Each structure stands twice: as structure tokens, then as C-alpha cells.
Amino acid sequence: MKREMVTLSPVQYYCQIPGVNHYATKEEYIRNSIHIAQLSESYGIVGSLSFFNHAVLDPWAVSSIVMQQTASHIPLIAVQPYMYPPYTVAKLIHSFAYLYNRRIDLNMITGAVTGELQQIGDHSDHSSRYKKLYEYVQVLRMLLESDAPVTFEGDFYRVSKLDFKPRLADERLRPKIFMAGSSEEGMETGLKVADYVVTHPGPLEHFKTNFSEKFRNTEVQAAIRIEIIARASSAEAWKAAYSRYPSNRHGSIQLRMKRNSESSWQRTLAELALTSETYDDVFWMGGYMNGGIYSPVLVGDYEQVAHYLNGYYDLGVKAVLLGSMYSEEDFVHFNQVKSILHYVSSTIGEGK
């Protein structure tokens, strides 16, 4: 199938909506989810990631509330194939586009938690899950883009002359497809059908060797998932980082277990964390080591973090999924980093 590529802007930023278990009451959860989306809109963040697993609310339902209270915010919704067949997701995308005149972006997942897959009777291996995901995205794109009834004959999905109307004719409303690419199967699949391939990055040199080099001669863009703790001074930033993610014995035990995870990105991050807690004075594995988060953290003053982020952009990164930005203070600090990034980018462009 010939793909119609979505037009991509220089760098897209997404924050995330926390799980319902972060809050004591329904009212608090709804209020804070809306507040985070409104903050992201105010500070120039494209949208927010809504997770999927068995312990969170349905991300489509959460996104509908967020969209009602924002003007341009774009949900990035995690899609697990066993939860919704591709024609159901296509219909949801059509419905949201009609109701809000906005696109929905999709984060395609296969499920990093093996136990959840087993609970619903899915005992397929890692490779098979990505083959299924490949077919899923093919069918979904055909349903959204084809003028004619759709026929598809695959190993996992079959449709025959499916007359799906109306076609999503406005390309502006078609989703950007994100897909995890830390594993070999994920990278191979993402380069075939995604707009962005996402990883939890290693430090710059590791990222260059193991990830960014694979994007040569392709229209697919690289994306990273990372947290940022930046302050006016490096000392303030590190104080905030250690306060947010204090060391603990339980996290250290879990870290050694993650080396044997089925998940490629979990194994990679565990090896990095066991080798060193900090790389390049900015790239910190402490939050991951202590079990607080599932991504690296960039820690430093605004200029240090901006220059390190710019290193990823120089290596081709076009989207950043930002972790743990839940208060206006977090957005204010990141906005300072962004303002320096704009300056760095403009001076590079001028050859200075």
C-alpha cells in the first residue's frame, strides 16, 4: 500500500496525562487532566499522551473530556490492538474529527507487560505481536485514506469490500502514527508504517550508534521519550531531581530484574543504569534506577539541558514525549529551555 505521509513540523512536543491512580478522587483526576492539557496549550506543547494498560481509564474517554476544554490540544492516544480492532479506531478518529475539527494522534503499542497479555489469552511472542501491529496500521490507514471499499487479506486481519464512509479527506485531520522502535522488530515495523518511531534514548553517543543511524534515507521521523528537570542553576536542578526520585533499596532490586525483561527498551535502560548513573553531566538514570519512572532524565541548568536536547535534534529527533510535567512550574521551567533552544537553532541556521 502506498502511504500518504503526514506533513511534519520541525519538533513536536507532547506531555502526558497521568493515570487515575495518581489522584484521590474522580474530581481531582478530571480537574488535573484538563489543567495539564490547558497548560500544554498555553506553553506551546502540541498535545498529551494518554496511556493504555489494565489499571487506567480508557484513553479515548479521557481525551474526549480534555478536548472539550481546549481549543487546539491534540491527544496522543495509546492503541493496543486487542482493545480495539482497526475499523473501530478508524470510526473513533472520524467521530472526534467531526466533533472537534481536530486530529487524534496514535501511539501504537504491543504491550510491554506480558502478564496483561496473558490475562486476555494472548500468548503470542514479541515478533508475532509486531507482525499483527503492522497489519493493523495498514488496515487503519486504508480505512482513513481510501476512496474505494477496502479489501485486505492478512494473517491477522481480513476485510472484504468494507465500505467505510466518509473518507477522512482533510489530510490535516489524519493521525500521526507513533510506534515504539527500541527492539529490532519494532524498528523494522515502524519504518514501514509509522510517521514517528519512538525510543527511550540513551546518552547522545549511544543514541547515535544504536538508533538515529537507522533513519537514513527514510521519511519516518525519530522521537524520544524523556523527562526534563531544568532550573536556573545546575545545583537547583540536581536538588529537585534527587528530591523527586530519592534512592531506595526496592528500586535497586527491581533494576537488576529489568535486565531480563522481555522488553528491549527495559533491558537497554537497565544496562545503562547499572553501568553509570550519570552520563555527560546531564543525562541521568537515577529516576529509572529508583523505580520512579521509566525514562531517562535530563538534569541541569536551562542552557545545559537545551544544548543536550539540541544534540538529539542534530541527530534527527523530530518529536519529544515529555514525562512528569504535571504543574505550571514544570511548564515554566521547560519554557525557559525552549526559549534557549530557539536561539541555538537560529544561530546554527545563520552559521554562527
Side-chain angles (χ1 to χ4, degrees):
M1 179 183 69
K2 187 177 184 299
R3 293 173 51 205
E4 297 182 42
M5 295 298 297
V6 177
T7 301
L8 304 176
S9 299
V11 177
Q12 304 287 304
Y13 296 104
Y14 297 79
C15 61
Q16 64 187 33
I17 302 296
V20 67
N21 61 328
H22 281 70
Y23 301 104
T25 66
K26 176 181 70 175
E27 291 75 18
E28 187 182 3
Y29 172 72
I30 293 172
R31 183 173 62 252
N32 280 280
S33 296
I34 293 170
H35 184 55
I36 289 167
Q38 291 173 337
L39 283 171
S40 71
E41 200 167 51
S42 298
Y43 285 93
I45 308 297
V46 171
S48 59
L49 170 65
S50 287
F51 299 102
F52 171 83
N53 59 54
H54 291 187
V56 301
L57 298 181
D58 181 90
W60 294 90
V62 174
S63 296
S64 69
I65 293 175
V66 165
M67 293 181 82
Q68 289 174 32
Q69 302 297 325
T70 55
S72 60
H73 189 79
I74 305 297
L76 173 57
I77 296 179
V79 175
Q80 166 60 265
Y82 71 69
M83 186 67 179
Y84 293 105
Y87 23 91
T88 303
V89 167
K91 181 59 70 176
L92 284 165
I93 289 170
H94 272 272
S95 301
F96 276 65
Y98 178 83
L99 292 171
Y100 300 105
N101 195 34
R102 256 179 278 172
R103 74 174 194 266
I104 295 282
D105 292 342
L106 305 178
N107 184 38
M108 308 304 302
I109 61 175
T110 61
V113 182
T114 306
E116 290 192 350
L117 296 169
Q118 293 173 346
Q119 288 168 17
I120 55 97
D122 186 345
H123 299 280
S124 55
D125 61 23
H126 185 264
S127 179
S128 296
R129 294 201 298 272
Y130 271 101
K131 289 176 182 176
K132 182 176 182 178
L133 195 63
Y134 173 59
E135 289 189 9
Y136 187 108
V137 177
Q138 284 184 293
V139 174
L140 178 61
R141 286 193 183 275
M142 292 170 71
L143 291 172
L144 294 175
E145 299 171 7
S146 177
D147 288 317
V150 172
T151 296
F152 183 88
E153 186 76 19
D155 294 328
F156 302 94
Y157 297 100
R158 297 176 180 84
V159 295
S160 178
K161 299 178 181 178
L162 178 56
D163 196 6
F164 192 87
K165 294 180 179 178
R167 175 178 178 263
L168 201 60
D170 188 346
E171 293 188 20
R172 181 181 61 88
L173 298 177
R174 293 179 185 171
K176 295 177 183 177
I177 305 291
F178 289 69
M179 189 176 295
S182 297
S183 69
E184 183 178 338
E185 293 90 347
M187 175 62 74
E188 181 181 345
T189 305
L191 290 175
K192 290 178 182 176
V193 294
D195 296 301
Y196 291 98
V197 176
V198 188
T199 191
H200 299 75
L204 285 173
E205 195 59 40
H206 181 277
F207 179 79
K208 178 181 179 180
T209 303
N210 294 282
F211 194 78
S212 69
E213 294 290 340
K214 299 175 183 178
F215 287 84
R216 292 183 177 180
N217 304 315
T218 176
E219 292 179 291
V220 178
Q221 306 284 5
I224 58 174
R225 187 169 172 183
I226 203 159
E227 184 170 333
I228 288 172
I229 299 178
R231 297 293 186 269
S233 72
S234 179
E236 290 177 84
W238 282 105
K239 182 179 179 181
Y242 290 130
S243 175
R244 184 178 294 182
Y245 301 116
S247 61
N248 64 84
R249 184 172 177 273
H250 181 66
S252 300
I253 295 171
Q254 283 191 322
L255 177 63
R256 299 189 180 280
M257 295 173 62
K258 288 173 183 175
R259 287 191 302 182
N260 300 316
S261 171
E262 185 189 71
S263 169
S264 175
W265 65 265
Q266 288 269 29
R267 294 196 304 273
T268 299
L269 290 184
E271 290 296 338
L272 283 169
L274 288 167
T275 301
S276 178
E277 183 176 331
T278 306
Y279 294 81
D280 305 327
D281 299 322
V282 175
F283 186 96
W284 187 53
M285 293 301 303
Y288 183 81
M289 291 172 67
N290 301 329
I293 51 169
Y294 290 98
S295 65
V297 187
L298 301 186
V299 184
D301 64 40
Y302 301 133
E303 189 169 339
Q304 285 177 306
V305 172
H307 277 79
Y308 206 84
L309 263 181
N310 199 66
Y312 288 113
Y313 302 158
D314 287 344
L315 293 172
V317 167
K318 297 297 183 182
V320 180
L321 279 55
L322 297 161
S324 302
M325 288 179 57
Y326 299 149
S327 70
E328 184 156 17
E329 181 186 8
D330 295 324
F331 284 90
V332 168
H333 290 306
F334 180 65
N335 202 49
Q336 292 292 327
V337 173
K338 276 207 306 174
S339 67
I340 295 172
L341 273 168
H342 289 316
Y343 173 77
V344 170
S345 298
S346 65
T347 56
I348 289 174
E350 295 166 6
K352 293 181 181 177

